[in-house]
Amino acid sequence: MAAASGQAGQQTNDGRVRVRDFLRHDGIALDSPDDRLSPDDTLMKGAFLHRELRRGLVLHVSDAIEERAFTATSLLPEELSCIFFLEGSVDLSIGDRHFAFQADRGVARGVAIMNACPEHFARASRGRQHLRHLVVSATPEWLHRDILETVSDSKGGARLLRDHLAEHRWTLTPPMVELVRQIFTPSPLIPQLQDLYLESRAVELVAETMAAVLQADRSNASGGLLTRQDATCLQRAKDFIEARLTEPLSVDAIAREAGISASGLQRLFRISENRSIFDYVRNIRLERAFAALAKGDASVQDASVIAGYTNPANFATAFRRRFGIVPMAVKNKV
């Protein structure tokens, strides 16, 4: 996943990634709702790092402002992706599965996705935002050679690497939070030691990710990790929600569409999203309202309706809690 997004995401000397920087790479296609884009237009600006630290281990770090909504598509190789979002949100599609990533203020979370065979990959940005995220990608060959022998459940680890598009989410331990922080703010080092410093942290993150996933598997026999059937039900529910965001939604109706009980569906959302179904719906509606304001397509009153609020004051409170900014401030930036 780092390779798919990172090769085209390497900035020029002025810290900008332009349309032409994506288009010059074979196998990567770019689409945008703005049909006026030119090759010189900036898509992102900021600090980026994309580096193969050793054969089969890639680190991708972004601390940047995304200027426009766009979708980049490519082919994703076999790899385990360890993903850590600190700020911003991104939608991904791998094969026929969809994933949504967003930072959760005050709580550091990790996501691991195993891609057991090459798949088509699409990364969609929703519009102007500050994006800070880190991805460590590792090939199965590297994992078998350098990681599996270090974890206590190597058989479980081998099963994980065969579980195509398995998704695992967890709350980071303090040591993992510190590893992520060290990669974003490394100590001043001579250039010859910089790669070694980053490599050691990336290896630890992968090992800690494998340990976290396997520990959850052992300690949560009631279903702390999603089975393939769970994932299918969850995706049906998300698709149903996405198609009917402007309509009243009930847990029972969503569960019927997903083919699972209401309590079972609530459990899946707690495991996958660490939130209730209605918190999930509220977040998506707020994000749509933000996008409409940022594009100049809606007034604050319109955005309130998009987010499902009848009281603009309640909308402003929820909006500020979610994004750290009031709706009018987003509107005035247009």
Side-chain angles (χ1 to χ4, degrees):
M1 189 172 302
S5 61
Q7 288 175 352
Q10 296 183 51
Q11 82 276 33
T12 55
N13 291 334
D14 61 359
R16 295 178 181 271
V17 177
R18 297 177 172 86
V19 173
R20 65 168 180 262
D21 298 318
F22 275 87
L23 299 180
R24 69 182 180 181
H25 293 279
D26 292 338
I28 296 180
L30 184 70
D31 188 30
S32 172
D34 186 355
D35 56 9
R36 298 170 298 176
L37 280 182
S38 73
D40 290 325
D41 282 332
T42 298
L43 294 177
M44 301 181 286
K45 62 180 179 182
F48 306 89
L49 173 68
H50 180 77
R51 190 166 300 166
E52 186 172 34
L53 300 170
R54 64 170 75 166
R55 185 175 180 83
L57 180 69
V58 175
L59 174 67
H60 176 71
V61 183
S62 293
D63 186 355
I65 301 296
E66 293 191 332
E67 298 281 5
R68 295 175 170 85
F70 67 91
T71 299
T73 58
S74 63
L75 185 67
L76 188 69
E78 298 176 50
E79 62 183 23
L80 173 69
S81 296
C82 309
I83 307 162
F84 310 93
F85 263 80
L86 278 68
E87 192 166 347
S89 58
V90 167
D91 293 327
L92 296 181
S93 294
I94 305 175
D96 60 357
R97 285 209 60 191
H98 302 281
F99 305 89
F101 302 100
Q102 64 181 44
D104 194 344
R105 294 181 183 274
V107 180
R109 304 193 190 283
V111 183
I113 298 176
M114 183 61 217
N115 192 51
C117 64
E119 286 279 13
H120 290 290
F121 168 91
R123 173 209 186 280
S125 172
R126 302 173 187 177
R128 184 174 176 81
Q129 65 170 334
H130 186 188
L131 181 66
R132 295 181 71 225
H133 83 302
L134 181 159
V135 182
V136 183
S137 295
T139 64
E141 292 78 12
W142 182 85
L143 289 163
H144 279 288
R145 184 180 67 245
D146 291 359
I147 290 293
L148 284 189
E149 64 183 22
T150 70
V151 300
S152 58
D153 183 4
S154 59
K155 290 184 178 179
R159 288 195 303 272
L160 168 65
L161 301 187
R162 294 192 300 268
D163 195 357
H164 186 48
L165 298 186
E167 175 187 13
H168 311 287
R169 298 180 183 241
W170 73 101
T171 300
L172 300 190
T173 61
M176 292 190 78
V177 172
E178 178 60 18
L179 287 171
V180 172
R181 187 199 66 79
Q182 288 176 5
I183 290 177
F184 269 95
T185 57
S187 301
L189 297 168
I190 60 175
Q192 294 88 333
L193 293 179
Q194 188 73 39
D195 281 1
L196 182 61
Y197 176 92
L198 293 173
E199 180 183 330
S200 68
R201 273 66 183 172
V203 170
E204 284 189 71
L205 277 177
V206 175
E208 290 285 345
T209 293
M210 295 285 286
V213 171
L214 294 173
Q215 177 62 31
D217 196 15
R218 289 191 294 269
S219 64
N220 196 345
S222 63
L225 299 179
L226 300 186
T227 66
R228 188 170 297 277
Q229 183 177 359
D230 286 342
T232 299
C233 291
L234 185 64
Q235 191 57 53
R236 286 175 183 159
K238 290 181 176 180
D239 291 344
F240 182 77
I241 291 168
E242 187 73 24
R244 292 166 175 79
L245 271 179
T246 60
E247 304 173 14
L249 289 168
S250 70
V251 174
D252 287 340
I254 299 169
R256 282 196 302 272
E257 180 66 22
I260 191 173
S261 69
S263 61
L265 187 62
Q266 288 282 22
R267 178 184 65 83
L268 294 187
F269 271 86
R270 287 292 182 189
I271 293 170
S272 175
E273 305 296 329
N274 198 44
R275 65 186 68 200
S276 70
I277 294 173
F278 279 118
D279 282 342
Y280 174 84
V281 171
R282 184 183 302 113
N283 254 8
I284 293 181
R285 285 173 170 164
L286 284 170
E287 287 167 6
R288 284 199 172 183
F290 185 103
L293 288 169
K295 293 176 184 178
D297 295 340
S299 66
V300 173
Q301 179 64 44
D302 294 335
S304 177
V305 173
I306 291 170
Y309 287 84
T310 56
N311 186 321
N314 291 343
F315 166 62
T317 299
F319 192 96
R320 185 174 62 251
R321 187 180 298 119
R322 171 66 181 85
F323 300 109
I325 189 172
V326 297
M328 185 57 73
V330 177
K331 176 77 173 168
N332 290 339
K333 288 183 178 180
V334 178

